Every structure is written in structure tokens, then in C-alpha cells.
Amino acid sequence: MNSDSHTCIPDTAVIGELPGDEGIDNIAESVDELRAKLSRMKSLMEARKGTTLGDLSARKKKETSDIIDGNFLSWVFGSALVVILSVSFYAFYNLYHAVLKKFPSHHTEL
């Protein structure tokens, strides 16, 4: 039975022999080649260790200590928020009193 992904070995094949030119020696060589490739990949991965974005940002944070960091920016934006809220409250307070002055309420019960 033959298909794209599978080829059956006939029952008459001798155990230990593979179809085609590949024998035990060739398989052993390919295993050695694969082990060599694996060791090279491991050494490359060790060389690249610490090059992810998180590692790079942590290393940069350790190397440089800028004055503009997360704490400073949170204080700046917090104070800007307080200023905006206080100016808004002041404006609406003045608007409320201007409307009361323009349209005074008439009390008839007195």
C-alpha cells in the first residue's frame, strides 16, 4: 500500500534492512549529524539568551535611570487631572451663581 505520506514495506523484507540505499551506517551518520545540529542550535540559543523584549527592557532599565519614569509620569498626570477637575468645578460654580443672579427666584410666602 503506497500513499503520499506512507509506504508499506513488503513482508518479504529482511528485518534490519531498509528499502533503498539507507542502511544502519547511514542512519547512524544521520543521527550523528542531527546531534551535531542540535548542539549547534543549543549553543546559538545560549548566545541569544536574554534578547527577548522583556529581558532587553529590564537590562535597559538597569543600565539607565532616567528622571522620567513611570512614577514621575503618574505624578504629572495625576496633578494635571487635579488641575482640570478644580478648574471645571470653579467654572461650574461661577456659572451657577451667574444663572442665579440673572434669574432670581421669587419667594411669595414672605
Side-chain angles (χ1 to χ4, degrees):
M1 176 179 162
N2 292 337
S3 68
D4 291 337
S5 62
H6 178 74
T7 302
C8 287
I9 301 172
D11 292 336
T12 59
V14 178
I15 296 175
E17 291 182 10
L18 295 175
D21 294 336
E22 290 192 38
I24 297 295
D25 295 331
N26 289 343
I27 291 176
E29 288 176 14
S30 65
V31 169
D32 290 336
E33 290 173 4
L34 289 174
R35 285 184 181 154
K37 286 181 184 178
L38 181 62
S39 66
R40 280 186 297 209
M41 289 299 288
K42 283 183 181 179
S43 65
L44 286 174
M45 292 304 289
E46 284 296 321
R48 280 191 61 180
K49 193 173 189 178
T51 57
T52 62
L53 289 177
D55 295 336
L56 289 175
S57 65
R59 188 182 319 142
K60 183 179 178 186
K61 190 174 184 179
K62 288 179 184 175
E63 290 173 357
T64 60
S65 59
D66 294 332
I67 192 167
I68 300 177
D69 59 350
N71 248 354
F72 180 74
L73 285 178
S74 65
W75 278 102
V76 167
F77 286 126
S79 19
L81 178 66
V82 167
V83 167
I84 289 170
L85 289 176
S86 61
V87 167
S88 299
F89 177 76
Y90 178 74
F92 280 110
Y93 179 77
N94 283 336
L95 178 65
Y96 175 73
H97 282 289
V99 168
L100 282 181
K101 187 176 181 183
K102 179 75 175 170
F103 304 106
S105 60
H106 301 287
H107 294 286
T108 58
E109 63 271 0
L110 294 178

